[in-house]
């Protein structure tokens, strides 16, 4: 009996230690904020140069996601995942509508530069069946970035949508507050670049639709796919000339 009691107490202690080492990490999608209502200063306007474009500070929350060092590009939840959460970004943008004269009845090119921008978030080893918690240390992640962005917008669809885009970061510097069990710097850079590109696509689609159809908000389905066209979207493999 004494032995059985000692074993039971030991198992209880191990379970309590495991629970104590696991902390919650919010995994819910951030509210899909209406870019048109949140970023009033990002509307299309005519600059002193006579160009129609967007010149503003773009600030946004970004959705939680998973990254995997052993499977770059994977966002699936598994035992090797790291949870990237509580992400926000802020960057000035200067985008020209009809960049390089590329504007017609079927499409328009929107492009320019961004930065210096900042991305902040938290990252830790995923835990739980749905990666809804973390285990071990959680690092604060700060990324400074800048570069260029270009999008091709399909004007034949309603609402208009981004059919092709590319974000090219000429500078990206990342700081991590504490070490983790693996070097996640490469996959977090890719994940953050992808998230910023999607947010830029959404902003471009939102503002062009505001310009063409004032007062009409983007449907939730368009917001949820980041302002991208429902079929045929692709990232430029090489920066367009």
């Amino acid at each position: 009996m004494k032995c059985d009691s000692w074993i039971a107490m030991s198992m209880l202690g191990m379970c309590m230690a495991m629970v104590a080492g696991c902390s919650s990490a919010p995994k819910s999608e951030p509210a899909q904020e209406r870019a048109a209502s949140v970023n009033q200063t990002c509307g299309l306007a005519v600059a002193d140069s006579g160009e129609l474009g967007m010149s503003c500070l773009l600030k946004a929350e970004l959705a939680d996601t998973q990254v995997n060092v052993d499977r770059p590009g994977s966002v699936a939840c598994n035992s090797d995942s790291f949870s990237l959460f509580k992400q926000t970004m802020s960057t000035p943008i200067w985008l020209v509508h009809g960049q390089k004269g590329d504007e017609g009845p079927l499409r328009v090119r929107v492009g320019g530069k961004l930065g210096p921008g900042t991305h902040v978030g938290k990252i830790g080893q995923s835990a739980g069946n749905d990666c809804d918690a973390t285990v071990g240390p959680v690092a604060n992640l700060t990324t400074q970035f800048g570069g260029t962005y270009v999008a091709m917008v399909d004007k034949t669809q309603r609402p208009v949508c981004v059919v092709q885009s590319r974000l090219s970061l000429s500078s990206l510097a990342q700081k991590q507050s504490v070490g983790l069990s693996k070097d996640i710097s490469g996959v977090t850079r890719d994940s953050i670049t992808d998230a910023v590109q999607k947010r830029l696509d959404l902003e471009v689609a939102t503002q062009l639709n505001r310009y063409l159809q004032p007062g009409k908000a983007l449907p939730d389905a368009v917001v949820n796919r980041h302002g991208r066209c429902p079929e045929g979207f692709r990232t430029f493999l090489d920066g367009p000339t």
Side-chain angles (χ1 to χ4, degrees):
M1 290 292 292
K2 288 183 179 179
C3 183
D4 290 344
S5 298
W6 181 86
I7 292 173
M9 290 297 292
S10 297
M11 292 180 66
L12 178 61
M14 289 176 63
C15 289
M16 291 179 66
M18 290 177 66
V19 171
C22 187
S23 59
S24 64
K27 299 306 299 172
S28 60
E29 293 275 331
Q32 290 288 0
E33 54 190 15
R34 291 291 182 187
S37 61
V38 174
N39 298 296
Q40 294 289 352
T41 61
C42 277
L44 282 165
V46 178
D48 294 338
S49 62
E51 290 181 322
L52 179 64
M54 294 162 52
S55 176
C56 58
L57 179 66
L58 178 59
K59 301 175 70 174
E61 294 182 2
L62 302 176
D64 300 342
T65 189
Q66 277 76 50
V67 296
N68 192 307
V69 177
D70 300 320
R71 302 178 184 87
S74 172
V75 295
C77 172
N78 56 53
S79 59
D80 298 319
S81 296
F82 285 81
S83 297
L84 184 56
F85 58 101
K86 290 188 177 179
Q87 300 183 86
T88 61
M89 60 162 281
S90 175
T91 182
I93 58 176
W94 298 270
L95 305 180
V96 176
H97 179 277
Q99 186 190 38
K100 297 189 177 181
D102 193 345
E103 180 181 7
L106 302 182
R107 73 172 195 177
V108 61
R109 171 177 172 141
V110 179
K113 60 181 180 177
L114 65 148
T118 301
H119 169 282
V120 296
K122 295 180 179 293
I123 188 165
Q125 178 74 50
S126 302
N129 293 333
D130 299 316
C131 289
D132 56 356
T134 60
V135 63
V138 171
N140 294 318
L141 201 61
T142 303
T143 306
Q144 305 288 337
F145 61 87
T148 59
Y149 165 84
V150 63
M152 293 298 184
V153 179
D154 186 344
K155 296 169 66 176
T156 67
Q157 301 195 41
R158 285 293 182 269
V160 300
C161 50
V162 175
V163 70
Q164 198 171 14
S165 72
R166 180 175 176 84
L167 173 63
S168 300
L169 296 181
S170 55
S171 64
L172 190 151
Q174 199 168 84
K175 293 182 180 179
Q176 183 179 315
S177 62
V178 296
L180 300 174
S181 59
K182 292 186 178 182
D183 179 6
I184 47 81
S185 57
V187 288
T188 54
R189 288 187 181 97
D190 291 344
S191 178
I192 290 167
T193 300
D194 179 66
V196 173
Q197 180 179 339
K198 287 176 178 175
R199 189 60 184 82
L200 287 164
D201 290 347
L202 175 59
E203 193 66 30
V204 166
T206 299
Q207 300 305 342
L208 260 68
N209 279 289
R210 279 185 71 195
Y211 181 71
L212 295 171
Q213 297 179 295
K216 191 170 183 179
L218 283 182
D220 288 342
V222 181
V223 174
N224 292 339
R225 62 173 183 263
H226 319 292
R228 295 173 170 178
C229 296
E231 295 180 1
F233 173 84
R234 64 188 188 277
T235 293
F236 288 110
L237 296 180
D238 297 303
T241 57

